[in-house]
Amino acid sequence: MADALVPFTAADAAAFLGGQLVGNPALIVARAVTAANLQPDSLAFLKSWARLDAGRQPDERVLLLAPAAEAPQPGWTVILVEEPRLAFARLLQEFFEEKHRPGIDPTAIIAPGATIDPSAQIGPYAMIGVGARIGPRTVLRNHVTIGRRVTIGSDCLVKSSSVIGEEGFGIVTDQDGNNLRLPHVGSVIIGDHVEIGALNTVCSGTVEPTRIGSYVKTDDHVHIAHNCIIGENSILTACAEFSGSVTLGQRVWVGPNACLMNGISVGDGAMIGLGAVVTKDVAERVVVAGSPARFIRRT
């Protein structure tokens, strides 16, 4: 259960979503719940009436329902929308999620030459390196570290303790056989509407930048090595690891604990299964899984 920032009406929700309201427009919504935990003054979404426990009474509840589902049952207040789960997410963002507050926390450390849009929010103990650029309405949470010349676009979120733009793991060996660090000076470029989970590492490119496309979402504990290119709208789930120079197409889904060998290319719309160890290129719109990863099916 989640409480609304300020209670609102069924009419407010329908107007915001552009949905068709059936029932009481003045009904108050004060909390969001699951369909299994309906309460007075609550909001939930349904895929169909069959998902609602038998014997539930309408009372003062608002449901989001797809027009293609069965007709609304008598007494219920329903908002008809094409995608109830997406509509539910939009209402959570608008009426339940705390809005970001522009500004820089006094404990943050901002290096000379960094550019931060006035509408961005920089959290406690964040560190932003020389020449970094933080775009409009982007939020950096607690203890985030942004390296030299990193560029982050608009409406992004970087969760706590993530590190973006530190050197990647590159080693060269000298004539005496000693391991030396290869400098990485390419930095990182991140598009718009990107979400980086907590405790992520996104390493600087060696010479060319590591790139993360717009609308990419990463879970917590994801590692993206130097020179990777992550295509737009891809989803990287918990503990996924991308070795150097991995290239993902658009709308790729990578399962938890998957590992991609350096230099691998993954085509648009592909899916990498849980724990997969990817050692070869993956074609577009296929599913691979296992160790080593093998073709499962086409999507």
Side-chain angles (χ1 to χ4, degrees), residues 29 69 117 131 140 144 161 204 216 229 235 242 273 282 289 292:
V29 176
D117 189 274
L140 309 182
V144 167
S161 298
S204 170
V216 166
I229 299 175
I235 295 175
F242 300 83
V282 177

Side-chain angles (χ1 to χ4, degrees), residues 34-45:
T34 64
N37 191 35
L38 288 176
Q39 303 174 26
D41 301 332
S42 66
L43 167 78
F45 74 92

Side-chain angles (χ1 to χ4, degrees), residues 24-295:
N24 179 9
L27 193 137
I28 297 295
V29 176
R31 58 191 58 86
V33 298
T34 64
N37 191 35
L38 288 176
Q39 303 174 26
D41 301 332
S42 66
L43 167 78
F45 74 92
L46 284 179
K47 291 184 178 179
S48 71
W49 287 107
R51 298 296 183 95
L52 196 64
D53 291 343
R56 285 281 189 183
Q57 298 300 312
D59 296 332
E60 296 181 346
R61 299 151 179 166
V62 178
L63 296 177
L64 304 174
L65 186 71
E70 303 92 330
Q73 294 185 6
W76 287 90
T77 295
V78 173
I79 301 172
L80 298 175
V81 288
E82 290 296 334
E83 298 185 49
R85 189 169 184 268
L86 175 60
F88 189 71
R90 291 182 60 203
L91 289 175
L92 290 180
Q93 290 173 342
E94 180 67 14
F95 295 103
F96 293 83
E97 187 175 49
E98 287 198 23
K99 305 300 184 290
H100 88 273
R101 295 179 295 277
I104 301 173
D105 189 272
T107 62
I109 299 174
I110 313 299
T115 302
I116 301 172
D117 189 274
S119 63
Q121 178 182 343
I122 310 301
Y125 302 100
M127 300 183 67
I128 300 178
V130 174
R133 301 175 63 87
I134 309 301
R137 298 171 301 281
T138 283
V139 176
L140 309 182
R141 289 189 179 160
N142 307 342
H143 296 275
V144 167
T145 298
I146 304 298
R148 293 171 59 91
R149 297 186 294 106
V150 169
T151 297
I152 302 179
S154 63
D155 300 288
C156 294
L157 170 63
V158 182
K159 294 183 181 178
S160 298
S161 298
S162 284
V163 179
I164 299 173
E166 293 279 351
E167 297 92 338
F169 187 68
I171 304 298
V172 294
T173 305
D174 68 11
Q175 61 271 25
D176 297 321
N178 297 315
N179 293 327
L180 303 177
R181 180 174 60 84
L182 176 65
H184 288 71
V185 296
S187 201
V188 176
I189 297 176
I190 295 177
D192 302 327
H193 300 279
V194 171
E195 182 172 314
I196 302 294
L199 297 164
N200 277 209
T201 47
V202 182
C203 297
S204 170
T206 309
V207 177
E208 300 295 331
T210 300
R211 294 180 180 271
I212 297 181
S214 295
Y215 292 95
V216 166
K217 311 295 182 187
T218 77
D219 201 349
D220 297 343
H221 298 280
V222 170
H223 174 71
I224 299 173
H226 59 276
N227 297 103
C228 286
I229 299 175
I230 309 299
E232 292 185 0
N233 281 296
S234 292
I235 295 175
L236 319 180
T237 62
C239 300
E241 185 275 330
F242 300 83
S243 299
S245 300
V246 167
T247 299
L248 298 190
Q250 298 184 17
R251 300 186 183 278
V252 174
W253 185 89
V254 181
N257 292 295
C259 176
L260 283 74
M261 184 177 177
N262 57 292
I264 291 294
S265 293
V266 179
D268 294 349
M271 299 182 69
I272 310 297
L274 182 152
V277 177
V278 184
T279 60
K280 298 179 181 179
D281 290 350
V282 177
E284 64 181 22
R285 302 191 64 80
V286 301
V287 178
V288 299
S291 178
R294 293 180 291 273
F295 172 86

